[in-house]
Amino acid sequence: MGANVAHKFRTGLKPQAFVESMTKNQDTYQNWSDAFSWEDEQDRAFFASLQHRDDLRCLILAADWCGDVVRNLPVVLHALKETDMPVEIMVMEEHLDLMDEFLTMGGRAIPVVIFADTGGHVLIKWGPRPKHVQAVMTAFKQQNPDRNAPDYEDKIKVARSEMLEQYGEGTAYQQVIVKELRELLSSI
């Protein structure tokens, strides 16, 4: 990936401190967290097998006001808890320099889950949402490049509604995130 995030190590919040500091959406976050379960024991075993990888670190750009963070971060943290990997939450507004290194289609979309080695060299990243949900926003941005167009706000509301439909009513999306993270981490 080329980027180096070593200067950000030990400047974020521990996951529990981030959750405790939430002033928005804490109950919704907790509900999604409580709803998590391992549906595939092989997935859980894969994440647990990373406990021997003392060469990996994880930084997560997040903010409590973001719906994707509230929905997706609990899944990421449950999976990473199995690894014993050092994980820090970087509140986006406090780390805009880092955020601007990890834009999604030119925009500040969160969460962004960054995996680096102990030297801070970025190996892979995930986010801000599962691929099938992100596909809706990708298509929207390609079809609506002008943020100042008179109908932009109306169209983005439709896209956000479609993204919620892609997430679905239940927790099936959580297993999608687990599989995407497993696939990425298997590559390093």
Side-chain angles (χ1 to χ4, degrees):
M1 300 225 64
N4 189 297
V5 295
H7 64 288
K8 290 295 185 175
F9 290 166
R10 292 173 293 287
T11 65
L13 298 170
K14 296 289 181 203
Q16 190 59 37
F18 174 77
V19 174
E20 289 170 2
S21 73
M22 291 176 84
T23 59
K24 296 181 178 97
N25 300 312
Q26 190 177 46
D27 290 343
T28 305
Y29 174 94
Q30 198 58 55
N31 290 341
W32 285 119
S33 184
D34 292 346
F36 180 84
S37 65
W38 290 97
E39 290 186 12
D40 183 341
E41 195 53 43
Q42 289 181 340
D43 286 335
R44 183 184 203 141
F46 168 80
F47 285 95
S49 77
L50 296 176
Q51 290 176 3
H52 76 283
R53 294 284 307 263
D54 62 356
D55 60 324
L56 298 176
R57 304 289 178 269
C58 182
L59 302 178
I60 304 172
L61 284 155
D64 62 1
W65 51 262
C66 176
D68 289 308
V69 168
V70 170
R71 186 182 283 261
N72 299 336
L73 185 60
V75 182
V76 172
L77 293 180
H78 276 289
L80 293 180
K81 186 172 186 169
E82 297 292 320
T83 70
D84 290 336
M85 186 184 307
V87 176
E88 294 179 70
I89 310 292
M90 318 302 282
V91 176
M92 184 186 82
E93 292 82 359
E94 297 171 13
H95 297 276
L96 291 176
D97 58 329
L98 183 64
M99 180 74 251
D100 289 344
E101 288 185 53
F102 294 94
L103 300 176
T104 301
M105 298 181 66
R108 292 176 175 166
I110 50 178
V112 177
V113 182
I114 304 161
F115 294 96
D117 63 19
T118 53
H121 301 284
V122 175
L123 304 170
I124 54 172
K125 75 175 186 80
W126 179 90
R129 50 189 74 93
K131 289 177 189 171
H132 73 285
V133 179
Q134 180 61 28
V136 174
M137 184 56 71
T138 300
F140 168 80
K141 294 263 183 158
Q142 289 169 343
Q143 295 163 8
N144 301 280
D146 182 6
R147 294 180 66 104
N148 297 316
D151 58 350
Y152 185 88
E153 287 303 317
D154 291 336
K155 287 182 177 179
I156 199 165
K157 284 179 186 169
V158 171
R160 287 181 178 137
S161 175
E162 289 175 19
M163 287 185 349
L164 283 174
E165 286 178 30
Q166 289 298 316
Y167 271 119
E169 291 294 318
T171 58
Y173 81 93
Q174 293 184 338
Q175 299 312 308
V176 172
I177 293 173
V178 167
K179 300 278 189 219
E180 288 181 6
L181 287 171
R182 180 177 176 175
E183 182 180 322
L184 282 171
L185 287 166
S186 294
S187 72
I188 56 173

